[in-house]
Amino acid sequence: MAQRILVLHGPNLNLLGTREPHVYGHTTLDALNAGLVDLARSLGSSLTTFQSNHEGALVDRIQAARLDGTDFVIINAGAFTHTSVAIRDALAGVAIPFVEVHISNVYKREAFRHHSYLSDLAQGVVAGLGPLGYEAAVRFAAQHAQSA
């Protein structure tokens, strides 16, 4: 059975490739998304992406996933990881398994980035692997369908 994967990108991730490349690298969001779509396809899954700088838009998209056939969510909530009870509640409310991804190693950064409102609900957390972290999460999501 093909897994339907949703990748959510939070605030400022639309600036990938130009925002602090020493932290986030040179890969643009469009290039990242295209690679993830191709990877998912090669694994027999489908993948859609959504990015917003607005908390409510991310909550709305998470809630829509409950009804659109999404089997698995990969989320990089950006700064909302450390601040958003609303995103946490939406993920808990839809009860779709998810992986939390961070491009940078949040534990090598400011102390406020060390806390996540999402991690204890997640199937797993990937941090500090750059875009490869998303690829690992897609592979996990595709495999999750086979083991479920």
Side-chain angles (χ1 to χ4, degrees), residues 1-6 37 39-48 68-73 96 138-148:
M1 181 164 103
Q3 188 82 312
R4 293 184 62 183
I5 303 166
L6 171 63
V37 167
L39 174 59
R41 187 178 305 121
S42 77
L43 298 170
S45 296
S46 65
L47 186 143
T48 58
D68 71 6
T70 296
D71 299 303
F72 203 95
V73 173
I96 297 170
V138 169
R139 290 182 185 282
F140 179 83
Q143 184 178 0
H144 189 269
Q146 296 169 357
S147 64

Side-chain angles (χ1 to χ4, degrees), residues 83-104:
T83 64
S84 182
V85 174
I87 290 174
R88 175 195 172 79
D89 287 350
L91 288 164
V94 300
I96 297 170
F98 73 95
V99 167
E100 177 183 343
V101 173
H102 300 282
I103 293 169
S104 68

Side-chain angles (χ1 to χ4, degrees), residues 16-32:
L16 284 179
T18 59
R19 175 189 175 209
E20 300 175 87
H22 63 284
V23 174
Y24 299 105
H26 296 282
T27 304
T28 66
L29 185 60
D30 287 341
L32 174 64

Side-chain angles (χ1 to χ4, degrees), residues 4-5 11 17 26 31 38 42 60 71 76 80 91 97-98 106 118-120 123 126 132 135 143:
R4 293 184 62 183
I5 303 166
H26 296 282
D38 290 344
S42 77
D60 288 344
D71 299 303
N76 181 343
F80 290 140
L91 288 164
F98 73 95
V106 293
L118 313 179
S119 295
D120 65 314
Q123 297 288 310
V126 182
L132 290 175
E135 293 176 21
Q143 184 178 0

